[in-house]
Amino acid sequence: MTNIPENQMMTTFFNSENFWGMILFVAAAILTHLSENSFLKEKIRREEDFKNFVEENKNGSKMKYNIKKTAMEMAESRYNFLPIFKWLFIFGAILALYRLVI
């Protein structure tokens, strides 16, 4: 144990950058988890929008087709990469907790 008095240990604990890093990572993980549903809704909406566009404009311009297709692919990519970021935030929180304890 260190030679820090008992009342200063608590202030040192809460002033630690590892503590606030852990809080920040947990908050980011919660936000990414909560935004997952909205990203899924956007992905589904973009896919339906693209299918409707293709059905209505069989001989439409290539530029509009590419814009709609790119928007659909971007929404799908955002949804697919969200769990990776969520787990990175969780891992960061665990690492900050480990550094805080040790």
Side-chain angles (χ1 to χ4, degrees):
M1 197 85 189
T2 60
N3 293 333
I4 301 173
E6 189 70 30
N7 61 352
Q8 288 182 356
M9 282 185 72
M10 281 306 240
T11 58
T12 306
F13 178 78
F14 288 111
N15 289 336
S16 171
E17 60 190 37
N18 290 326
F19 173 75
W20 294 110
M22 182 183 64
I23 297 296
L24 182 67
F25 277 121
V26 168
I30 290 170
L31 285 175
T32 54
H33 180 73
L34 293 176
S35 64
E36 194 169 2
N37 192 24
S38 66
F39 280 22
L40 177 62
K41 286 179 184 177
E42 183 180 351
K43 175 188 166 194
I44 293 170
R45 185 181 63 83
R46 294 283 184 171
E47 286 175 351
E48 290 173 357
D49 189 29
F50 180 71
K51 287 178 186 176
N52 291 338
F53 177 78
V54 169
E55 290 173 2
E56 292 172 2
N57 302 318
K58 300 242 184 227
N59 296 327
S61 71
K62 274 293 212 193
M63 188 169 126
K64 287 183 180 181
Y65 173 83
N66 288 338
I67 290 172
K68 293 283 186 183
K69 186 176 180 183
T70 303
M72 180 191 68
E73 291 171 349
M74 291 291 287
E76 185 176 350
S77 296
R78 266 184 251 133
Y79 177 72
N80 289 340
F81 282 114
L82 193 65
I84 295 170
F85 290 113
K86 180 172 64 173
W87 284 106
L88 282 173
F89 290 139
I90 291 170
F91 178 72
I94 292 170
L95 185 64
L97 178 64
Y98 175 76
R99 287 181 181 169
L100 190 65
V101 170
I102 289 188

